[in-house]
Amino acid sequence: MNMNEIDLKLLELLHNGDFVSGEKISEEIGVSRTTIWKHINKLKQQGYQIESATNKGYRLVKIPDRIVPEEVYLGLKTDYIGREIKVFSSLGSTNERAKELARKDFPTGTVVIAEEQTAGKGRLGRSWFSPPGTGLWFSLIVRPDIPPNKAPFLTIIASLTLVKALSELNPELKPLIKWPNDILIDDRKVCGILSELNADLGMINFAVIGIGINVNQDYFPEELSAKATSLKIALNTRIDRTGLLQGILNFFEGYYQKLLEGRFKEILKEWKGYLNILGESVTIYSGSETYQGRVIDISSLGELVIKDNSGKVWSFWAGDVTLRKEEN
Ligand code: BTN
């Protein structure tokens, strides 16, 4: 959907839901009231519900449940994250499209969103259920000037961003991070992150951080229903995906800046505060090997450190393992 400047200014003026008179709008935008009326009708055709009342003017009642870049830009407080947003009605995977764009030099902060993914990718070669219009399926392109061995921090700041944005959306949500990067609410997965790296020796060319959030699903296919949840299920109300996306992009820029400034310790400390795994008994599956032990720490690189029953200490990288938390 293409919006011109008049549509945008109109939305900006009507954004808080109060009546604004036709006279005021035409004064602010500097066009005639007939032009305003035409643009109001155009917005209505695009799914915006706008009420008009004699002597009062226009009032925005409802925005369409679609991600429209121009609307996202209105609520961004960022300098560069989310300043270029590409929305597709359907893609195989937003990570794949984001990698294509990154190879064409799209800058840090570019966001690729799909209303639906037909081949959404999860960690460890799994697929990611991405039905149309219900979730937020998107990928962020970044080009951080950090050593490749610090790349796991991209996923760390993404998960930190998600818990912060979800807590801001509703403090009752109380999201936790299941190492390395699943976001859980009520012990069920609500978001997943898949970061992919393009690096040469000693240097990151670009990374794509793919984020999937179950937002407005009412139910899940049988194989997922015991493990997955959505924000709508958790809060019993429909969530505005645009507002949530704005929150995420705003938080992300803050953490990304910290990362560029090398404030790894500070990031890690905050991240540890949301982990649901410290001190727990776990089983780790790494290729054909299985390890059992208690989680004693997270290393300075974000690895999981466990002590097995014989007292031996092992560290695991996020990329290679599956983890199961044992019931006590
Ligand atoms: C996981 O938990 O296994 C990671 C899931 C990541 C899913 C997101 S949805 C947007 C982006 N595009 C993809 O194909 N995958 C990620």
Side-chain angles (χ1 to χ4, degrees), residues 235-276:
L235 291 171
N236 214 3
T237 180
R238 221 182 145 72
I239 305 299
D240 165 34
R241 292 181 303 155
T242 301
L244 175 60
L245 179 63
Q246 288 162 336
I248 292 170
L249 299 173
N250 288 337
F251 273 113
F252 185 83
E253 186 166 294
Y255 287 117
Y256 187 71
Q257 269 309 120
K258 280 192 183 175
L259 183 62
L260 296 183
E261 289 161 18
R263 291 154 70 183
F264 305 111
K265 268 194 186 153
E266 202 180 311
I267 293 171
L268 216 49
K269 188 168 172 221
E270 195 176 355
W271 185 67
K272 278 187 191 180
Y274 290 101
L275 284 180
N276 76 341

Side-chain angles (χ1 to χ4, degrees), residues 93-95 117 119-123 128 130 137-139 181-182 189 191-194 210-212:
S93 153
T94 56
N95 269 28
Q117 294 185 117
K121 301 193 302 175
R123 283 180 64 233
W128 181 260
S130 327
W137 326 124
F138 67 100
S139 304
N181 49 26
D182 292 350
K189 182 156 165 175
C191 319
I193 303 166
L194 177 68
I211 296 179

Side-chain angles (χ1 to χ4, degrees), residues 6-63:
I6 298 181
D7 300 329
L8 272 176
K9 285 190 177 151
L10 251 171
L11 286 177
E12 225 171 319
L13 285 170
L14 297 177
H15 218 246
N16 63 8
D18 295 335
F19 272 107
V20 186
S21 72
E23 196 183 345
K24 174 146 197 252
I25 298 175
S26 88
E27 239 176 67
E28 294 268 337
I29 306 186
V31 293
S32 73
R33 289 179 67 170
T34 319
T35 307
I36 298 294
W37 179 79
K38 281 188 189 150
H39 281 268
I40 291 277
N41 281 339
K42 183 178 149 201
L43 287 172
K44 281 183 178 171
Q45 275 164 16
Q46 292 175 349
Y48 291 86
Q49 211 176 310
I50 299 171
E51 197 181 302
S52 44
T54 333
N55 296 330
K56 285 184 170 171
Y58 301 101
R59 186 167 84 93
L60 182 60
V61 181
K62 204 167 165 239
I63 51 179

Side-chain angles (χ1 to χ4, degrees), residues 175-316:
L176 288 174
I177 300 168
K178 179 183 169 207
W179 182 90
N181 49 26
D182 292 350
I183 309 297
L184 307 184
I185 289 174
D186 301 329
D187 249 350
R188 288 166 190 230
K189 182 156 165 175
V190 72
C191 319
I193 303 166
L194 177 68
S195 301
E196 297 187 68
L197 196 64
N198 181 310
D200 288 329
L201 215 57
M203 186 189 136
I204 296 177
N205 299 320
F206 64 81
V208 158
I209 305 172
I211 296 179
I213 310 175
N214 299 325
V215 184
N216 284 322
Q217 283 101 324
D218 289 303
Y219 52 85
F220 289 87
E222 208 180 316
E223 66 276 16
L224 292 178
S225 60
K227 308 185 269 196
T229 192
S230 72
L231 297 175
K232 185 175 179 199
I233 294 172
L235 291 171
N236 214 3
T237 180
R238 221 182 145 72
I239 305 299
D240 165 34
R241 292 181 303 155
T242 301
L244 175 60
L245 179 63
Q246 288 162 336
I248 292 170
L249 299 173
N250 288 337
F251 273 113
F252 185 83
E253 186 166 294
Y255 287 117
Y256 187 71
Q257 269 309 120
K258 280 192 183 175
L259 183 62
L260 296 183
E261 289 161 18
R263 291 154 70 183
F264 305 111
K265 268 194 186 153
E266 202 180 311
I267 293 171
L268 216 49
K269 188 168 172 221
E270 195 176 355
W271 185 67
K272 278 187 191 180
Y274 290 101
L275 284 180
N276 76 341
I277 204 79
L278 288 171
E280 300 285 341
S281 295
V282 295
T283 304
I284 305 263
Y285 303 91
S286 176
S288 55
E289 306 288 325
T290 304
Y291 302 80
Q292 272 184 322
R294 194 169 285 278
V295 179
I296 55 168
D297 200 7
I298 300 291
S299 78
S300 60
L301 288 173
E303 298 149 303
L304 192 75
V305 185
I306 71 165
K307 192 186 249 187
D308 70 15
N309 293 341
S310 70
K312 205 162 174 210
V313 174
W314 305 85
S315 300
F316 297 93

